[in-house]
Amino acid sequence: MELDFERCYRAVDSRDQRFDGWFYTAVKTTGIYCRPSCPALTPKRANVAFYPSAAAAQRNGFRACRRCRPDAAPGSPEWDVRADVVGRAMRLISDGVVDREGVPGLAGRLGYTERHLHRMLTAELGAGPLALARAQRAQTARILIETTELGLADIAFAAGFGSVRQFNDTILEVYAQPPSELRSRRPAAYTGAGTITVRLAYRPPLHAAALLGFLAARALPGVEECDGTTYRRGLSLPHGAATATLIPADRWVSATLSLADVRDLAPAVSRCRRLLDLDADPAAVDATLAADPALHAAVEAEPGIRVPRAVDGFELAVRAIVGQQVSVRSARTTLAHLLSHAPAPTAATAQPDTPSTPTSSAPLPGAKAQPAGPQPDDAARPTETQRGLAAFPDAAVVAGLPDSAFRMPVARRESIRALARAVADGELDLDPGADRDQAAARLAALPGVGSWTAGYVTMRAIGDPDVLLPTDLAARRGARALGLPDSPTALAAHAERWRPWRSYALMRLWRSA
């Protein structure tokens, strides 16, 4: 990845937060690397170097700044946009695939040899898959050190390290402190066992009301709930069940994660970030859409509209098929009936009086300090487990449900079963690292799945930022309300000017409807 020195240096000199996560600034005289918005004194030009990833900076001997915590910056929006092998690899590494399956597993998912994959990632990011995964392990370990009472040996393996020695060496190298010192610097507080609270940074602006409103309208009882300010849901993670409570705030989203197994911290964070589209670049999106006079007023009135994505591609695909040609309310009713026939996995439990420490995974420059520990009303607030939130059933469970679970036409029921079998058998990949075109083609080949459903799943489950659904009735009504052509052909032709952000334009059309 080519980094223009002058542009990068201007961003650092102005402490421009929009570039956090795009690149990292390494200061040769101190051996420290920072995010562009670090509030420290701007280093001299001769003393800086720029790297496309935290892993590349670490590989070249620099340690993370303790002031701006560059390892916790929002991820580069490139990995959301790009559909090539490097983009897919980054999304899978973020989800912890290297920790669970190793580099051979990552390479196998992408269809390349390990050597060629290493060559591509090193050329783009200055580091191979192992170094990129190691940087993520270090951040996960730091969060666990600072937010739990787990023993350091337990944290080492929970974060994905192969040995305690490797863990100690990595933490010392990345943070210039042994793990014991990182723990000694934290404040004391209390929260539930297995419960970790982190701050998920994002690039402002974020239109939280639109994001939560979309999720609230589609919330499935027993799986998720949203009251307009807080979103909660059950998760199925690689090592067990979990629940997530997400509360948007100024410049970050507070995420309280109740985990059955702390090894799932990294994938839980990754999926919550993906669900809320927190790695997007709203400035770039809004600039492109506002250039269209028909959308200019809407963008000015509501900056930072995101595309709600998904924590589980299969779940989203089932929702899409059920929602074909029916209202959102009707689809929720049908899905609730289906869930009532499925044995849902048990959510993670939390024991309220075990000491731990919720702190920020990303203390952002200029943010006011938040009081640590439970607030006065926490004791009266029921936990997610008490509410019974659990993950959506997996593909194998749905494939085996009786006919009575499907309150829908027979053809639609068989479409869902065909989808479930394809996912359960590994014939259809709906993970964020999937090939978008291949997934869309395989979806469209399933009985009863048309172009609308395939496009909707590609947009929300796989994260394609450039999907338009010109035949969608709500999109056409929104286009009409904005003075745009509302016939599918004319709307698709007009939307060419919105590339590569047509998914975001679609969200605005739906809001205008």
Side-chain angles (χ1 to χ4, degrees), residues 195 225 232 243 245 258 348-352 378-389:
T195 299
E225 60 186 23
R232 302 179 180 88
T243 56
T245 301
S258 297
T349 58
Q351 300 169 6
D378 280 0
R381 186 179 297 126
T383 66
E384 294 86 357
T385 302
Q386 290 169 336
R387 292 193 179 100
L389 294 184

Side-chain angles (χ1 to χ4, degrees), residues 73-78 80 201-203 273 277-281 306:
S76 171
E78 272 205 278
D80 278 347
Y202 61 81
R203 295 174 187 83
R273 294 192 65 85
D277 197 19
L278 297 184
D279 290 326
D281 184 353
R306 307 295 173 108

Side-chain angles (χ1 to χ4, degrees), residues 262-277:
V262 291
R263 289 178 295 175
D264 284 327
L265 175 60
V269 167
S270 174
R271 294 177 195 193
C272 289
R273 294 192 65 85
R274 187 164 69 241
L275 172 68
L276 301 184
D277 197 19

Side-chain angles (χ1 to χ4, degrees), residues 52-53 76 79 84-96 106 110 121 125 127 132 136 270:
S53 66
S76 171
W79 314 133
D84 62 2
V85 175
V86 173
R88 292 167 57 201
M90 289 301 292
R91 293 194 289 273
L92 290 172
I93 291 171
S94 174
D95 199 55
L106 176 66
L110 297 169
L121 289 174
L125 293 159
L132 292 163
Q136 178 169 285
S270 174

